[in-house]
Amino acid sequence: MNGGVNGGVNGGVNGGVNGGVNGGVNGGANTVVAAVDCGTNSTRILVRGPGGITLDRVMRITRLGQGVDASGRLAPEAVERTLEVLREFRGVIDRHGASRVRVTATSAARDSANRDDFLDAAEAVIGTRPEILTGPQEATLSFLGAVSELDPDDGPFLVVDIGGGSTELAVGRHRPEGAISLDIGCVRLTEKFLHRDPPAPEELSQALSVVRDHLDDVARAIPAVTEARRLVGLAGTVTTVAAVEQGIPYDRDRIHHFVLTRDAVEDVFRTLATETRAQRVHNPGLEEERADVIVGGAVILAAVMRFFDLKDCLVSEADILDGLIRSLV
């Protein structure tokens, strides 16, 4: 599926992350810095203070990518939802006195013809113009954030970031040996294939088949993925599956570095895929705003574990935001 892989693999990794993770900022360790990510499904902020202390971490589901796959444009209501959250985040930045701010936008903005209108409006609200990350840049930043707390001797790591419009994969120990972005995500997969409530078996089969085709591309493009010793899963789909498996409301301390077995993923996938949305929302740990797209995300997670024959997944709350912060300090 040549159109499904965004950008190059290795060429987009080295030197492709604007701001440079290793370049640093003079005196950055003693300043307050903030990172904002405008994703397809959610908009998030992380504020770090001196000594790497987390001062604030907030996530809001904004669904910026609503209908982008079909229309090729950001919907006005989706843009306004996101701008409203950015107004909130501007208050967070001002309250903490962040001296350096990095704002990024990913799949939905990459794929939309009217992205400049959104970027102009976002800059006016938050004071920093969002950078449009390429797929490999996004994968690299996610990888750097995810492995920042891990022992390299436990690698190589396969880091999988399941977003709303795209899924990023990167493999390596300290830095990615290869990074790639696929045009599949929980929102995109749901809008294209999962139309019934609950999804029909043939819809699920088609979605799984499409994901497998994309993973064939990954295996050809990055042979090192077959050498990964540990799968690390990022973003809302993975943390939600972990919360549902534990039967708890979202709790970052109990989610971060929780180990999801493949059997547990398959069990949660079967449960969510056979429930209606009205039934699904009663699962502890599943946010109502995510209930309509969680099955699409679970399709991707289950397919990755099946395709690469991985026995478990380390759930990480350290992700692209942490990678962005590293680029600032």
Side-chain angles (χ1 to χ4, degrees):
M1 302 184 68
N2 294 330
V5 179
N6 293 325
V9 180
N10 295 316
V13 175
N14 298 321
V17 180
N18 296 332
V21 172
N22 294 321
V25 176
N26 292 333
N30 297 316
T31 62
V32 176
V33 296
V36 177
D37 176 46
C38 302
T40 299
N41 195 50
S42 64
T43 302
R44 303 177 303 137
I45 185 172
L46 173 61
V47 183
R48 286 258 169 88
I53 297 173
T54 296
L55 303 177
D56 233 324
R57 193 171 197 133
V58 183
M59 185 277 291
R60 299 282 184 258
I61 293 179
T62 50
R63 199 64 61 82
L64 178 62
Q66 171 194 328
V68 166
D69 196 61
S71 69
R73 300 181 64 83
L74 297 171
E77 61 271 27
V79 170
E80 184 49 45
R81 286 194 301 266
T82 305
L83 293 177
E84 185 60 33
V85 168
L86 291 179
R87 294 183 187 101
E88 175 192 352
F89 287 178
R90 176 62 184 265
V92 172
I93 291 167
D94 292 344
R95 184 169 68 251
H96 290 293
S99 59
R100 294 183 180 275
V101 180
R102 193 170 179 196
V103 184
T104 58
T106 52
S107 177
R110 277 198 301 266
D111 296 343
S112 60
N114 60 337
R115 59 181 170 268
D116 286 339
D117 294 338
F118 166 69
L119 299 179
D120 291 343
E123 182 179 12
V125 167
I126 205 163
T128 301
R129 190 171 185 82
E131 310 163 31
I132 302 291
L133 296 178
T134 67
Q137 286 174 341
E138 186 179 356
T140 297
L141 284 164
S142 294
F143 180 93
L144 294 171
V147 305
S148 60
E149 301 175 6
L150 302 180
D151 184 348
D153 289 340
D154 293 335
F157 305 104
L158 173 58
V159 175
V160 177
D161 184 350
I162 302 173
S166 63
T167 293
E168 281 66 48
L169 298 93
V171 64
R173 292 182 186 268
H174 300 279
R175 293 187 63 85
E177 296 174 24
I180 202 165
S181 182
L182 309 176
D183 282 335
I184 49 173
C186 62
V187 175
R188 192 188 297 264
L189 213 61
T190 299
E191 290 183 350
K192 289 187 75 169
F193 302 109
L194 308 180
H195 304 300
R196 299 186 193 176
D197 185 26
E202 58 269 25
E203 292 178 332
L204 293 168
S205 294
Q206 185 178 13
L208 283 163
S209 177
V210 167
V211 176
R212 283 195 299 270
D213 288 344
H214 279 84
L215 295 177
D216 275 330
D217 288 342
V218 174
R220 284 193 294 270
I222 313 177
V225 294
T226 60
E227 300 169 11
R229 294 175 56 194
R230 164 121 271 185
L231 172 65
V232 184
L234 316 183
T237 288
V238 180
T239 58
T240 297
V241 171
V244 172
E245 165 61 14
Q246 294 182 74
I248 59 170
Y250 175 80
D251 181 337
R252 189 179 192 275
D253 291 337
R254 294 179 64 180
I255 296 297
H256 186 49
H257 287 178
F258 176 75
V259 177
L260 267 171
T261 66
R262 182 165 157 184
D263 286 345
V265 169
E266 295 286 359
D267 183 57
V268 172
F269 175 35
R270 281 192 299 269
T271 298
L272 297 176
T274 55
E275 293 178 334
T276 64
R277 184 188 184 282
Q279 295 168 329
R280 214 175 287 142
V281 296
H282 297 295
N283 286 282
L286 176 56
E287 298 164 287
E288 184 173 358
E289 298 91 338
R290 197 180 294 278
D292 59 332
V293 297
I294 186 60
V295 175
V299 165
I300 298 171
L301 178 59
V304 167
M305 298 187 78
R306 293 176 188 178
F307 187 90
F308 295 112
D309 194 22
L310 297 161
K311 64 178 182 179
D312 57 38
C313 173
L314 181 69
V315 180
S316 178
E317 287 280 18
D319 53 26
I320 189 172
L321 287 176
D322 300 82
L324 289 168
I325 290 292
R326 286 184 65 184
S327 75
L328 293 171
V329 299

